[in-house]
Amino acid sequence: MNSTATAPRRPIDIVNASLKRRYGAERRFRWLGLIAVMLGLGFVALLLVSIVSKGYTAFWQTYIQLPVTLSAADIDPKGVITAADTAAETRRKALVRANFRTPVRDALRAQFPDVSGRTDRRALNALISGGAALQLRHLVSEDPALIGTEQTLWLVADDDVDMFMKGRSTPIDEQPGAGEARPSAATGDITLTAAADDFTRITTSVRGFLERRTERLDRDIARLERILADLAGEGAQISAAMDDADAAARDRLEDRAARVDDRSGQIARKLERTRGEREALGARLAAAAAGEPLALSDEMPSFMVAINGGMVKVQEATADRLSGTVVSTLASADPAPPGTWRLLELRTPEDDRRLSDRQVAWIWQLEQRGLIEQRFNTLFFTNGTSREPELAGIAAALVGSFYTLVLTLLFSFPIAVGAALYLEEFAPKNRFTDLIEVNINNLAAVPSIVFGLLGLAVFINVFGVPRSTPLVAAMVLTLMTLPTIIIASRAALKAVPPSIREAALGVGASPLQTQFHHVLPLALPGMLTGTIIGMAQALGETAPLLMIGLIAFIVDIPGGLTDPATVLPVQIFMWADSPERGFVERTSAAIMILLAFLVLMNLAAVLLRRRFERRW
Amino acid sequence: MSQFLLLAVVLAAMAFAFQVGRNRAIRTAGGPTGIKDLHSLPAYYGWYVAIWAGLPALLVLLAWVGLEERIITLLLVQGLPPSLTEGLSDGRVGLLVNDIKNLATGGITSGDPTPAVQAAAERYRRWLGIADAARWALVLVVVLGGLSVAWRRLSPAFRARNRVEATLLGILVLFSSIAILTTLGIVLSVLFESVLFFQRVPWTEFLFGTQWSPQIALRADQVGASGAFGAVPLFTGTLLISAIAMLIAVPIGLLSAIYLSEYAAPRLRAWSKPTLEVLAGIPTVVYGFFAALTVAPFMRELGESIGLDVASESALAAGAVMGIMIIPFVSSLSDDVINAVPQSLRDGSYALGATQAETIKRVILPAALPGIVGGVLLAVSRAIGETMIVVMAAGLAANLTANPLESVTTVTVQIVTLLTGDQEFDSAKTLAAFALGLTLFAVTLTLNVIALHIVRKYREQYE
Amino acid sequence: MSTTAEAIDTNTGNLRAADFDGERAFEGTLGDITTREPRMECRAVNVWYDANHAIREVSLDIGKHEVVAMIGPSGCGKSTFLRCLNRMNDTIPAARVTGSIKLDGREVLDRGIDVVPLRAQVGMVFQKPNPFPKSIYENIAYGPRIHGLVNHKSELDELVETSLKRAGLWNEVKDRLGQPGTGLSGGQQQRLCIARTIAVSPEVILMDEPCSALDPIATAVIEELIAELKQDYSIAIVTHSMQQAARVSERTAYFHLGDLLEVGATAQIFEDPQHHLTRAYVTGRFG
């Protein structure tokens, strides 16, 4: 930069000198913009991927195949259903009362004859959905002659089983045994000895878990000690301050000292407990190092051995020997040659999942027998909602949405087109039409929930329109979508050149004839495009519908416009609120279907626009 | 069902009237050759008669459907023996009436009906029958009456087209007025209930109180019978979440609009603009689900991993997702505004040797500022009124805090909570929802009016 | 068909359709395209807008301290040519430029050349005054600021003042420098734009019909200003008004349908044009 010192610099030199800095700023700004676009696109991708990855599995449902004996003793003890002369109504009532649950349970029990005890039986029964009984009822009501026969049926599995089969409960690692394994007995608490070091995986896993736990305890101890030291320091400070304090301050300080003491006591007790825990753990680890068996607990990953057609849940293990409980009786206590038995690791600890190890063992065995599989989930498309995720479907919501949308279309299209026609073509320019314009523009931006309040206060409470029905929903949605359609329709009317109107008026058509015969047909595609977009908006709307009672729990598919109903987005809202894991995938799947409809509608709008777009 | 049948009958009568009117017009003109003597085309005479036959009847039917249930219920309550209704609250009477109606229509009733109730049900059934018959009779009489009035007026010189067109125009005006009626309906409904609310709770407490716990005991004598209705925590919660949303939406929306309109190659622009707009078409309930099940747990874990305590319904998660929702809104409004800046300003800047970024930052953005501000105001109004995301991902407890990691509640969440579930219509709790609705409506309306005004002024400046 | 022969034949001034069909082969420029002290030298410049050949083989020099006027009927490409000189055509994606334009001996059309310093050296004033929606002061200060030409507020104040003075606007606006530039009258706005251009100390100023949106009085003021500015700058002005070209310029170039038909001293072009079309244009047969 010596030129500045010697000669006055020419402007162009200054410009050239600034270029590097300025192009740096240019590049940074450009990057910023690109990052913003990428973030936006990334959010779209994230949203869709998150929904699809959660939801695609809902289109399959786990079924369990069982030979079910439809015994007359359970279903039809009085022979009402089978009797040829029973009236249809009586038969229907008998079917509703009939016990279809016992046949299902018996069939499941037949698969695992060794299950006994109330708790275990209940755990076994929990594998099959309550919907299985409904399946049987449906079957029998179609053909009463089936009573007394044995049918091999695919029955709906419980949602926990479904989640497990879809890998959303716990991952399972399977490993074939390398050496021969010798069980000590076929049932009860047994030991299992392996010829090779087959169980090192168990010991490693348990040791790893214990070591991690020790580390955490060590950290806790350190933290507690630090707090204790701090408190001691504070106590010392207080007592030092107490020496030269007046009476009022002394009272306050004593108060504080008491609180510090209290807290120190608490922390000290906690520290003692933690140290005790830490020592016990250390002792266990030391014992394990010395060759003692390591015990498993419900907080760690579970291990099971599948051997001789049964299953053993591991309780303690060394590298080549374990003891455990038989959860499913072994066919024999013979030694199992290498490769015929397997070691299973359920990586999610039993405490953290809804299925117990025992239930997992049953499912695993059913799977080995080929009796459990995932099939296309027709229930999702034919059922209404349910408290049980595996039985919940979107049919009722879809029908509700359909009725609501059709009504909304019937209400809003004529009104919007009429209003647009009047405002664009006939309305004189005065304060009344100005008022309408301002209102339309503002209504387009009013929060949707406010329309819900309007619906509740006016339609339901004043006009007495029945609550929770497609009718009232359509009325509210009509008011909501009107601005959208009116604005689009006016734009479509504006796009029709004045020459068309002049031509029609020129041959003596009345203004209304001009509009209906010439302008409207030309503007129609644009109006329809706007209408479709408005309908898409209505299809996805939720908030105002909550206000007017569409949130009711609707199992039955609504039969008419004044039947209680729900709609797809509200159904999604309600499912999203349910705690069961099974509902997460159902909700996501319902969202996928909703989005699919929206995509179709928007696509239709785009195609319509392309097809009829006209340049004047 | 009988309503729909009657509706179909009226429509059929209209079709019939159209034929009759048209044929009569042709006949009075002396057959097809005389059509030119008619004032209007024969079809207009048909329409005229059809309108007379259908329109009054449809109005009568509509009024009847709206009033029938109410009148019969009134009669029913008055007809009940005093021993049944004495000392019962309105709500209890309502339940009794429901029981009677259910009994009459063969539904499920609560408990065994007493003879008095059974008698009432019998009466109710009878009245329903009478009402049904009367409706049919009345509507048909009106149809025939209208038909005959129109019939008598038909003559070749009669200006049928003008009459029909005037009616049609009247209907169009009516349709146009629905926008005004809607606004009026909104204002009246929230105002009316709010006035009732402010009679119980002073407006100063509502606007400036910092305690919000609307859970009123069901019976008046229970503890905590009067809830607290200080809405300040709701306002701050709403503002907090909206502010987070705007912090995300405005920079991303604005910068991506700038990038797409000034820098991006046409091909990138062609596919990324519609892709961004996908975000605008996704229903808000989907965002709510995304916020509650993906973003909130993620933020919680993220917070835990760096030692922060993040609430599982944190304002941050709800606000962030709301921000994502608003991105396309901001970006498409900004895009419009930026494109409205005339090319001559860009040329002027380039001709002075400005780089593109300098031109954008120092010329285009300042020039577009009013429009952008208008757009952002619209976006704020949208964030304030957004419901589903916060209902699903924000908290329920009113929490006066500015910490985005804590859980806060919003105006819209409270409206939904107060109005879903069991409700008595004139309890303070329910009315509070309308007071909140009034506040929400007033605030968003003000924002919208200001924003639309700014945007319009801005457009006029460059037109 | 020999167009040259025809051109001589039609020196009488009869026009024919062929003169305007836009498909004629280039026949070269009459007169001397060069000047004594060239600042910008353009050789064989061609411009295409997609397939449309808007400028054909134009060669022209712009000298120091001189005003070159470019005249011709609308759509003849004079504005397009002007925009090539500081590469404003870059902002139009469809435009493609070939040939050579040199500024002080350095090639301007090279892809590698940086347009930012180029435009700082070759300023431009547009047809419609386009002040930024900022204050008068900020309008002038914008250029020096982005280029970093000044370091202190006082320097900037001084620069704003001299620029406004040189544009003859100082006395009219000195009391309201903080008010928006868009509030000035059309003529004042255009002088503001000129002042804005001067503030970056360019060497060449391009003016694209600077007076077409102005009334006669404002036009006269601008023309005076141009006469003063040529002491320090090279000026190329596109104009629709032949009187204006005659009043302000030393040399005049006549463009016709993308061709530069004739260049010469202004007096010669208006008094004794060699090409029949130039003659027809300057005598007002078409335009």
Side-chain angles (χ1 to χ4, degrees):
Chain A
M1 295 287 133
N2 50 8
S3 62
T4 35
T6 54
R9 282 173 65 188
R10 289 191 307 148
I12 186 62
D13 294 330
I14 304 176
V15 171
N16 281 329
S18 73
L19 283 179
K20 201 172 162 210
R21 172 183 58 80
R22 291 166 67 192
Y23 278 124
E26 169 81 31
R27 244 187 336 269
R28 279 194 298 281
F29 188 67
R30 215 184 153 117
W31 269 107
L32 219 56
L34 189 61
I35 289 170
V37 174
M38 289 304 149
L39 270 177
L41 296 178
F43 287 141
V44 179
L46 184 68
L47 185 69
L48 295 182
V49 166
S50 136
I51 302 277
V52 171
S53 67
K54 280 200 178 87
Y56 75 99
T57 46
F59 296 106
W60 282 269
Q61 162 71 39
T62 306
Y63 283 80
I64 298 176
Q65 190 186 40
L66 293 174
V68 181
T69 311
L70 298 162
S71 86
D74 289 326
I75 301 166
D76 194 18
K78 292 182 196 150
V80 182
I81 301 171
T82 31
D85 55 347
T86 313
E89 182 62 18
T90 325
R91 177 173 289 141
R92 194 181 64 81
K93 284 193 172 155
L95 275 168
V96 171
R97 270 197 303 273
N99 174 9
F100 287 102
R101 213 173 276 179
T102 313
V104 173
R105 288 180 177 171
D106 289 347
L108 192 56
R109 187 97 53 79
Q111 293 295 322
F112 302 101
D114 57 329
V115 175
S116 61
R118 268 176 70 98
T119 335
D120 282 354
R121 272 197 224 155
R122 195 172 299 156
L124 181 61
N125 291 338
L127 296 186
I128 293 246
S129 162
L134 302 182
Q135 261 179 294
L136 292 193
R137 181 195 295 163
H138 181 72
L139 211 64
V140 171
S141 74
E142 298 274 285
D143 183 8
L146 291 177
I147 294 178
T149 63
E150 187 189 272
Q151 300 289 322
T152 302
L153 300 171
W154 282 100
L155 300 173
V156 190
D158 188 70
D159 60 312
D160 291 331
V161 178
D162 191 39
M163 287 295 104
F164 175 80
M165 290 300 290
K166 288 168 179 169
R168 292 182 194 268
S169 175
T170 170
I172 295 190
D173 281 349
E174 256 185 75
Q175 187 192 24
E180 192 188 57
R182 284 187 303 279
S184 65
T187 178
D189 290 335
I190 63 166
T191 58
L192 206 60
T193 322
D197 282 354
D198 268 318
F199 305 139
T200 37
R201 266 187 68 177
I202 308 179
T203 51
T204 322
S205 153
V206 176
R207 198 174 302 117
F209 180 86
L210 292 178
E211 276 161 2
R212 278 194 301 281
R213 168 71 62 86
T214 329
E215 276 167 32
R216 210 169 61 227
L217 286 176
D218 282 342
R219 273 202 305 278
D220 283 355
I221 289 171
R223 192 170 52 88
L224 290 171
E225 279 170 345
R226 217 168 36 243
I227 296 175
L228 211 53
D230 287 353
L231 285 171
E234 204 182 335
Q237 264 177 19
I238 293 173
S239 56
M242 203 114 69
D243 292 340
D244 42 31
D246 55 29
R250 182 177 289 267
D251 273 0
R252 264 204 319 277
L253 286 171
E254 263 169 10
D255 243 32
R256 263 183 70 194
R259 272 205 305 277
V260 168
D261 271 359
D262 230 37
R263 183 125 174 78
S264 306
Q266 272 174 24
I267 300 285
R269 278 192 297 282
K270 199 165 171 193
L271 183 58
E272 206 174 314
R273 256 199 328 272
T274 316
R275 279 196 178 126
E277 219 174 306
R278 165 73 179 85
E279 264 162 43
L281 267 181
R284 273 172 78 185
L285 279 169
E292 291 278 310
L294 276 166
L296 280 73
S297 73
D298 292 348
E299 303 158 317
M300 350 178 159
S302 311
F303 285 90
M304 284 198 274
V305 178
I307 184 166
N308 292 348
M311 306 272 291
V312 182
K313 180 186 166 168
V314 180
Q315 307 283 12
E316 273 182 2
T318 60
D320 59 353
R321 190 183 146 81
L322 58 78
S323 60
T325 316
V326 173
V327 285
S328 179
T329 313
L330 277 51
S332 71
D334 299 338
T340 61
W341 61 280
R342 299 169 166 272
L343 179 63
L344 310 182
E345 177 183 2
L346 313 182
R347 276 206 250 128
T348 311
E350 194 173 14
D351 275 358
D352 296 350
R353 53 183 143 87
R354 288 175 56 91
L355 288 177
S356 67
D357 284 344
R358 176 160 286 214
Q359 283 172 314
V360 172
W362 289 325
I363 298 170
W364 197 78
Q365 282 180 306
L366 283 174
E367 211 181 340
Q368 297 299 306
R369 294 174 203 166
L371 295 180
I372 193 163
E373 74 176 38
Q374 294 189 36
R375 330 177 95 205
F376 184 72
N377 191 355
T378 43
L379 289 179
F380 186 64
F381 296 96
T382 55
N383 273 12
T385 188
S386 163
R387 306 255 181 240
E388 306 296 330
E390 72 274 12
L391 299 178
I394 53 168
L398 271 183
V399 172
S401 273
F402 175 75
Y403 283 145
T404 308
L405 222 52
V406 167
L407 264 187
T408 310
L409 182 65
L410 286 181
F411 291 156
S412 61
F413 185 67
I415 295 181
V417 170
L421 207 54
Y422 178 74
L423 291 174
E424 199 58 39
E425 305 285 343
F426 295 107
K429 201 78 190 129
N430 59 23
R431 295 180 65 176
F432 179 68
T433 41
D434 276 354
L435 187 68
I436 295 180
E437 299 247 0
V438 171
N439 266 301
I440 289 174
N441 286 332
N442 278 325
L443 282 179
V446 163
S448 60
I449 191 170
V450 173
F451 286 95
L453 291 177
L454 170 79
L456 177 61
V458 176
F459 293 152
I460 294 181
N461 287 335
V462 178
F463 292 158
V465 181
R467 232 180 131 79
S468 307
T469 55
L471 181 64
V472 68
M475 290 168 81
V476 168
L477 291 177
T478 298
L479 296 187
M480 273 196 58
T481 49
L482 269 183
T484 311
I485 309 180
I486 292 180
I487 291 170
S489 299
R490 293 185 65 176
L493 285 172
K494 266 204 195 91
V496 178
S499 59
I500 302 276
R501 296 177 184 83
E502 282 155 13
L505 291 172
V507 297
S510 75
L512 268 175
Q513 284 171 328
T514 306
Q515 293 304 328
F516 281 97
H517 297 167
H518 300 282
V519 180
L520 215 50
L522 291 174
L524 206 57
M527 293 175 160
L528 285 176
T529 309
T531 308
I532 295 175
I533 288 168
M535 289 300 113
Q537 202 182 326
L539 176 60
E541 196 51 70
T542 321
L545 304 184
L546 302 183
M547 309 277 91
I548 50 175
L550 271 279
I551 194 163
F553 186 83
I554 307 293
V555 179
D556 296 326
I557 294 171
L561 303 177
T562 49
D563 282 356
T566 191
V567 293
L568 201 46
V570 176
Q571 187 71 75
I572 289 170
F573 168 65
M574 289 194 284
W575 282 354
D577 244 14
S578 308
E580 285 92 347
R581 285 216 54 174
F583 273 122
V584 174
E585 68 163 26
R586 309 261 150 177
T587 315
S588 305
I591 289 176
M592 284 160 74
I593 294 196
L594 178 63
L595 291 182
F597 275 111
L598 290 178
V599 166
L600 281 182
M601 290 171 84
N602 282 301
L603 214 60
V606 169
L607 289 181
L608 197 65
R609 194 177 303 157
R610 289 249 172 94
R611 174 84 176 71
F612 289 99
E613 198 169 48
R614 222 185 269 239
R615 299 244 175 259
W616 301 96
Chain B
M1 216 54 235
S2 125
Q3 262 96 323
F4 290 108
L5 187 61
L6 189 50
L7 189 67
V9 168
V10 174
L11 291 179
M14 283 178 78
F16 171 73
F18 176 80
Q19 287 298 331
V20 167
R22 202 179 62 153
N23 292 341
R24 182 172 150 92
I26 295 174
R27 231 180 13 265
T28 50
T33 51
I35 288 178
K36 61 180 183 302
D37 296 332
L38 287 171
H39 171 270
S40 314
L41 286 175
Y44 280 102
Y45 293 89
W47 280 115
Y48 182 74
V49 179
I51 288 171
W52 261 104
L55 205 54
L58 287 177
L59 291 177
V60 166
L61 181 60
L62 194 67
W64 187 288
V65 169
L67 292 175
E68 180 187 279
E69 185 73 18
R70 230 169 267 250
I71 292 174
I72 293 186
T73 306
L74 199 68
L75 286 174
L76 185 64
V77 173
Q78 278 172 354
L80 287 177
S83 59
L84 265 180
T85 53
E86 207 138 76
L88 288 182
S89 70
D90 282 356
R92 287 303 180 97
V93 173
L95 284 182
L96 185 67
V97 168
N98 258 344
D99 254 8
I100 295 172
K101 287 180 185 171
N102 279 340
L103 189 65
T105 48
I108 303 152
T109 55
S110 60
D112 277 331
T114 61
V117 169
Q118 274 179 337
E122 191 48 46
R123 269 203 311 285
Y124 178 69
R125 212 173 0 229
R126 213 174 49 237
W127 278 331
L128 276 187
I130 295 173
D132 210 35
R135 186 174 59 226
W136 275 87
L138 182 65
V139 168
L140 289 181
V141 164
V142 174
V143 166
L144 290 176
L147 199 62
S148 70
V149 168
W151 174 268
R152 255 181 283 129
R153 288 197 185 167
L154 290 192
S155 72
F158 182 69
R159 301 171 153 224
R161 200 200 70 223
N162 306 40
R163 297 300 182 91
V164 170
E165 292 195 349
T167 314
L168 208 56
L169 210 55
I171 293 176
L172 292 190
V173 174
L174 189 73
F175 283 173
S176 310
S177 323
I178 284 185
I180 294 184
L181 292 179
T182 307
T183 311
L184 208 65
I186 289 175
V187 170
L188 286 184
S189 59
V190 292
L191 210 57
F192 182 68
E193 312 288 345
S194 301
V195 166
L196 289 181
F197 174 73
F198 289 126
Q199 281 168 359
R200 301 180 191 204
V201 178
W203 65 271
T204 44
E205 189 202 321
F206 177 74
L207 281 186
F208 304 114
T210 55
Q211 280 297 318
W212 178 268
S213 55
Q215 295 311 320
I216 294 183
L218 282 177
R219 289 199 317 276
D221 52 326
Q222 270 177 328
V223 192
S226 64
F229 292 98
V232 169
L234 312 191
F235 300 151
T236 54
T238 308
L239 289 183
L240 178 62
I241 290 183
S242 306
I244 296 169
M246 298 322 284
L247 276 181
I248 290 185
V250 172
I252 296 184
L254 189 57
L255 282 171
S256 54
I258 290 172
Y259 187 82
L260 289 180
S261 65
E262 302 283 329
Y263 285 113
R267 281 195 34 203
L268 177 66
R269 186 179 156 86
W271 68 263
S272 55
K273 250 180 84 118
T275 312
L276 270 184
E277 271 155 23
V278 165
L279 284 172
I282 292 175
T284 53
V285 67
V286 177
Y287 283 107
F289 179 73
F290 181 61
L293 271 96
T294 307
V295 178
F298 170 75
M299 293 209 168
R300 216 177 122 82
E301 277 165 31
L302 196 71
E304 255 169 29
S305 70
I306 55 171
L308 282 175
D309 193 18
V310 183
S312 56
E313 294 183 324
S314 64
L316 188 60
V321 173
M322 196 189 278
I324 294 177
M325 181 194 85
I326 294 178
I327 289 174
F329 193 71
V330 174
S331 92
S332 76
L333 279 174
S334 312
D335 194 52
D336 287 355
V337 168
I338 288 171
N339 285 330
V341 174
Q343 180 66 28
S344 70
L345 285 186
R346 283 160 233 249
D347 283 351
S349 176
Y350 291 139
L352 288 172
T355 63
Q356 215 168 343
E358 284 159 357
T359 305
I360 294 166
K361 282 192 279 193
R362 298 186 180 218
V363 175
I364 297 178
L365 285 186
L369 196 63
I372 292 173
V373 168
V376 169
L377 281 186
L378 279 181
V380 170
S381 142
R382 194 162 225 225
I384 290 176
E386 169 50 38
T387 308
M388 291 321 291
I389 294 179
V390 280
V391 165
M392 295 169 85
L396 280 181
N399 202 348
L400 188 59
T401 176
N403 180 355
L405 303 182
E406 280 183 45
S407 149
V408 294
T409 192
T410 72
V411 172
T412 47
V413 171
Q414 289 303 317
I415 295 179
V416 170
T417 321
L418 295 174
L419 288 185
T420 53
D422 299 324
Q423 43 169 297
E424 260 181 281
F425 203 70
D426 50 355
S427 79
K429 189 178 142 189
T430 316
L431 294 177
F434 284 90
L436 289 175
L438 176 66
T439 323
L440 181 67
F441 182 67
V443 169
T444 51
L445 188 71
T446 315
L447 280 174
N448 293 342
V449 170
I450 296 174
L452 289 174
H453 181 76
I454 294 178
V455 170
R456 207 178 49 229
K457 279 272 169 261
Y458 169 76
R459 279 183 194 290
E460 282 166 4
Q461 181 194 338
Y462 290 123
E463 255 163 20
Chain C
M1 166 165 87
S2 157
T3 35
T4 336
E6 239 181 58
I8 296 162
D9 281 353
T10 51
N11 251 353
T12 47
N14 290 330
L15 302 173
R16 37 182 82 178
D19 291 335
F20 301 99
D21 67 1
E23 291 298 328
R24 293 166 316 129
F26 177 66
E27 57 188 72
T29 305
L30 294 169
D32 186 7
I33 57 155
T34 60
T35 184
R36 215 155 30 82
E37 275 187 286
R39 176 144 265 162
M40 299 197 82
E41 296 161 290
C42 312
R43 293 294 176 270
V45 175
N46 284 281
V47 180
W48 283 268
Y49 291 125
D50 287 329
N52 178 19
H53 200 166
I55 296 278
R56 267 179 289 229
E57 298 287 324
V58 171
S59 301
L60 182 65
D61 281 0
I62 298 164
K64 289 175 183 161
H65 315 300
E66 77 164 352
V67 178
V68 176
M70 298 170 192
I71 59 170
S74 23
C76 66
K78 51 198 194 303
S79 287
T80 301
F81 176 67
L82 197 71
R83 290 172 74 93
C84 292
L85 297 181
N86 69 346
R87 291 197 29 195
M88 282 302 285
N89 276 337
D90 287 12
T91 57
I92 303 162
R96 193 156 56 82
V97 184
T98 65
S100 153
I101 299 176
K102 286 194 171 128
L103 171 67
D104 294 332
R106 281 180 42 230
E107 181 59 51
V108 163
L109 291 181
D110 263 358
R111 285 181 65 95
I113 224 69
D114 195 339
V115 295
V116 168
L118 168 68
R119 287 174 187 163
Q121 283 171 288
V122 184
M124 188 162 190
V125 176
F126 295 86
Q127 189 167 1
K128 247 180 76 185
N130 56 351
F132 302 130
K134 300 163 177 270
S135 70
I136 294 171
Y137 184 95
E138 288 297 323
N139 259 288
I140 312 289
Y142 175 73
R145 279 219 180 105
I146 54 171
H147 292 305
L149 296 182
V150 287
N151 297 319
H152 303 291
K153 176 87 170 83
S154 56
E155 274 180 68
L156 187 59
D157 289 347
E158 204 185 305
L159 184 54
V160 169
E161 188 178 333
T162 37
S163 305
L164 282 171
K165 275 184 177 154
R166 299 196 67 178
L169 197 58
W170 175 250
N171 288 330
E172 290 159 64
V173 301
K174 65 178 176 217
D175 301 325
R176 45 170 174 156
L177 291 177
Q179 288 177 19
T182 41
L184 297 172
S185 75
Q188 288 174 323
Q189 285 191 10
Q190 195 61 296
R191 277 182 283 152
L192 181 66
C193 292
I194 294 173
R196 183 174 77 186
T197 310
I198 294 170
V200 239
S201 314
E203 288 156 31
V204 182
I205 300 178
L206 310 175
M207 296 189 174
D208 189 359
E209 300 189 30
C211 303
S212 66
L214 305 181
D215 60 68
I217 296 170
T219 303
V221 176
I222 302 266
E223 283 177 9
E224 271 171 46
L225 179 59
I226 293 172
E228 276 172 38
L229 290 176
K230 75 177 167 199
Q231 312 301 328
D232 303 303
Y233 308 101
S234 306
I235 297 176
I237 178 169
V238 164
T239 175
H240 233 80
S241 147
M242 280 171 287
Q243 289 81 351
Q244 185 171 60
R247 281 194 299 267
V248 300
S249 67
E250 272 73 45
R251 293 198 303 143
T252 297
Y254 175 69
F255 282 75
H256 187 88
L257 296 179
D259 293 317
L260 176 56
L261 284 192
E262 187 168 354
V263 187
T266 300
Q268 180 253 311
I269 291 287
F270 282 96
E271 282 154 22
D272 182 23
Q274 293 176 25
H275 198 285
H276 74 285
L277 286 171
T278 316
R279 175 180 309 256
Y281 183 75
V282 298
T283 51
R285 302 262 188 103
F286 67 95

